[in-house]
Amino acid sequence: MPDSSRLAPLPIGPAGAPPRLSLRHLLAPAALTLGAAGLAGQRPWLSGHIAPIAGVMVADALAAVLAAVAWLGAAWLGSRVIDLVVARNARATPMPRLLTDLLRAFLYGLAVLGILAFVLGQPVTGLVATSGVVIAVLGFALRNMIADIFSGIALNVEHPYRIGDWVELTPGVTGRVDEINWRATRLVTLDGTALVVPNGLAAGNRITNYSQPGAGFRAGVPVTLDAEVPVARAKRIILSAIVCCDGVPAEPRPDVVVEAITLNGVTYQARFWVADYSRLAATRDAVATTILEHLARAGLEPASPKQEMRRRSNRPPPCSALGLGRDLLSHVDLFAAFRPEELDELASGMHLRHVAAGEAVVRQDETGTSLFLVAEGALDVRGAFAGRTLLLDHMGPGDVFGEMSLLTGQPRSASVIANTDAVVYELGKETLDPILRRRPELAARLADLMGLRQRRNDAHRRASAPAAVAPAATDHDLLARLKTFFSL
């Protein structure tokens, strides 16, 4: 007979509970089966007693293996569900890889603990206590990396930034979040380079997110002007430049504030909104360029250091109202054929008008016999068509409107509303009439230029409102109207 003391007894659990199996008991059936086969060959009368015992232990081992496979299968199924959720939300809200890795590790760790506790019957609490010393040693050696990992977990829980956001994690380190992994956050800068910032460094500094809480943020461009320039005029010129700048959204509305008063002059902050951080540099460049253009048309320039101003005492004084109007006329192609003395005569006959924001300079379909030149400010061209009011165009310093009413007397084709406080010059028929009577040949030149301007303006407006553009008159018709209107 075999020695019964060498057979490992089955551990008996609580009443009604199945026996708890260890690795020793899982391997025992195979050894027992082989040994039993040899023993039964030597002593045939034992085969009837050994076969039932071996069969029971093989069945228990197979049940334990199936239970372990079930635990691992459940963990695998859970990880597949995580992959499906991540794939479905990849375009809308990409999930950081760190979070998905943590969820998978948690599922498989839970499966391993379940196998140890419920299948193999091992005391899990003792295993955790035994590994505590090893964890402490590894934690001290890898403390910086572990700090980055836990900082990454905190960043994923709090969500101060997400994949695709433009952030500044440390001073001077700005980019678009491309990946958040276990140890670091990967950024792509505007220059197309990749920056890897450890999560511990990102969590320990101030985080500036340019993509949250909403789309867009406010930026500014400082402008310093001489203290002699009235504050109201300076704000009007700078604000009109921002409004006329392409790429700056109309809402939220830009503004201009006094930032500082220095020895060199008054510093203004031109504040505007940027829809996307990737457009920040281009928008600032466009705003600064437009501000310089508007200042030049107003006869102004940025302030210079006081020492330089003393050396440049021969600098010409700011343009007067008459000189500014004369300068505006010289840049209008409609009057390109006029002589200098004729431009002086036109400038002396123009009337200066101050228009408040929201006030109409002209209204659609009203009669008029004058032309307007924009000196300062920004204006909107609006037209009412089929019961709707459409924005047709923007106008800024140097732009001209109303030439058809001046030269032919036809009603205004659109309304011109001041977007900001503005200054315009009005040139009436009574000022232009004596010059045309002295030089009737100017009529043909004016008709040609008026037709060219009309076609160019119609093409520009047709892009935004096709139904708002009426068929243009021919140059011959315009000349006939002009001669009839001025009795030439």
Side-chain angles (χ1 to χ4, degrees):
M1 292 183 61
D3 188 359
S4 60
S5 62
R6 294 185 180 181
L7 294 178
L10 290 176
I12 304 299
R20 297 194 303 176
L21 301 178
S22 64
L23 184 61
R24 177 185 174 189
H25 297 97
L26 290 176
L27 297 177
L32 180 60
T33 302
L34 294 176
L39 189 59
Q42 298 175 3
R43 297 178 176 84
W45 56 273
L46 290 177
S47 59
H49 300 280
I50 295 177
I53 298 176
V56 171
M57 298 190 69
V58 170
D60 293 339
L62 291 176
V65 171
L66 291 177
V69 171
W71 278 97
L72 294 176
W76 178 85
L77 182 60
S79 65
R80 292 300 300 164
V81 172
I82 294 173
D83 293 338
L84 292 176
V85 173
V86 171
R88 178 174 296 180
N89 300 330
R91 294 184 178 180
T93 54
M95 185 178 295
R97 196 181 72 182
L98 172 60
L99 184 58
T100 59
D101 291 344
L102 285 175
L103 291 176
R104 293 191 189 95
F106 175 76
L107 290 177
Y108 281 103
L110 191 63
V112 171
L113 291 178
I115 293 172
L116 291 175
F118 298 104
V119 178
L120 301 181
Q122 298 297 322
V124 178
T125 55
L127 180 63
V128 174
T130 305
S131 59
V133 177
V134 178
I135 293 176
V137 174
L138 291 176
F140 180 79
L142 305 175
R143 56 187 182 278
N144 293 332
M145 184 177 297
I146 293 175
D148 292 337
I149 292 174
F150 278 96
S151 297
I153 296 174
L155 291 174
N156 280 275
V157 171
E158 297 179 1
H159 290 298
Y161 54 82
R162 302 174 185 270
I163 294 177
D165 290 352
W166 286 93
V167 297
E168 182 180 2
L169 297 184
T170 58
V173 178
T174 304
R176 178 176 51 82
V177 180
D178 185 62
E179 181 184 8
I180 307 173
N181 56 39
W182 286 90
R183 195 189 66 84
T185 298
R186 185 173 181 268
L187 305 178
V188 178
T189 67
L190 288 173
D191 298 330
T193 59
L195 289 177
V196 179
V197 181
N199 290 330
L201 183 62
N205 287 275
R206 184 187 67 182
I207 299 174
T208 303
N209 193 326
Y210 294 99
S211 301
Q212 295 183 18
F217 61 96
R218 187 163 65 184
V221 173
V223 182
T224 303
L225 300 177
D226 291 333
E228 291 79 8
V229 180
V231 174
R233 186 188 182 199
K235 287 185 175 182
R236 179 173 63 238
I237 295 172
I238 297 174
L239 181 59
S240 67
I242 306 174
V243 172
C244 294
C245 182
D246 295 334
V248 175
E251 295 293 337
R253 186 170 176 81
D255 61 359
V256 180
V257 298
V258 176
E259 185 179 56
I261 302 175
T262 65
L263 295 176
N264 294 327
V266 181
T267 300
Y268 301 87
Q269 188 69 225
R271 304 191 301 181
F272 52 92
W273 289 79
V274 182
D276 187 6
Y277 183 85
S278 61
R279 297 287 305 164
L280 176 59
T283 306
R284 276 180 173 168
D285 174 74
V287 170
T289 301
T290 309
I291 289 175
L292 291 176
E293 292 176 354
H294 282 226
L295 289 175
R297 289 174 180 173
L300 301 175
E301 63 181 14
S304 302
K306 294 301 181 182
Q307 295 82 357
E308 184 177 350
M309 289 179 62
R310 294 193 185 97
R311 292 197 301 269
R312 295 174 56 189
S313 57
N314 58 346
R315 185 178 61 180
C319 294
S320 61
L322 179 61
L324 182 58
R326 170 66 171 78
D327 184 67
L328 289 173
L329 281 173
S330 64
H331 290 86
V332 177
D333 54 0
L334 192 63
F335 302 105
F338 283 62
R339 298 168 181 169
E341 60 273 14
E342 293 170 341
L343 292 178
D344 293 338
E345 184 177 350
L346 292 176
S348 61
M350 291 193 303
H351 302 285
L352 185 66
R353 287 183 53 182
H354 291 266
V355 186
E359 182 181 347
V361 183
V362 298
R363 293 195 178 275
Q364 187 175 359
D365 297 329
E366 72 178 5
T367 59
T369 59
S370 60
L371 168 148
F372 295 88
L373 291 89
V374 183
E376 298 175 7
L379 301 99
D380 295 336
V381 182
R382 299 182 179 274
F385 305 94
R388 294 191 308 162
T389 301
L390 305 177
L391 176 63
L392 303 178
D393 200 359
H394 292 291
M395 289 189 176
D399 290 331
V400 179
F401 62 94
E403 62 272 14
M404 293 296 292
S405 297
L406 170 67
L407 299 178
T408 65
Q410 75 176 39
R412 307 292 184 183
S413 59
S415 299
V416 180
I417 312 296
N419 190 302
T420 67
D421 293 343
V423 176
V424 298
Y425 286 93
E426 184 177 7
L427 175 62
K429 175 188 174 184
E430 66 279 1
T431 304
L432 181 61
D433 184 72
I435 300 177
L436 290 182
R437 292 188 179 278
R438 291 196 304 266
R439 296 182 62 198
E441 66 274 12
L442 287 175
R445 178 62 174 165
L446 284 174
D448 293 341
L449 292 173
M450 184 169 54
L452 180 62
R453 285 177 56 85
Q454 185 182 28
R455 289 189 292 272
R456 185 172 64 245
N457 293 338
D458 289 348
H460 177 71
R461 295 174 183 178
R462 191 177 290 110
S464 57
V469 181
T474 63
D475 294 351
H476 180 74
D477 293 338
L478 291 175
L479 180 57
R481 294 182 191 176
L482 191 153
K483 288 184 176 181
T484 301
F485 186 60
F486 281 89
S487 302
L488 297 178

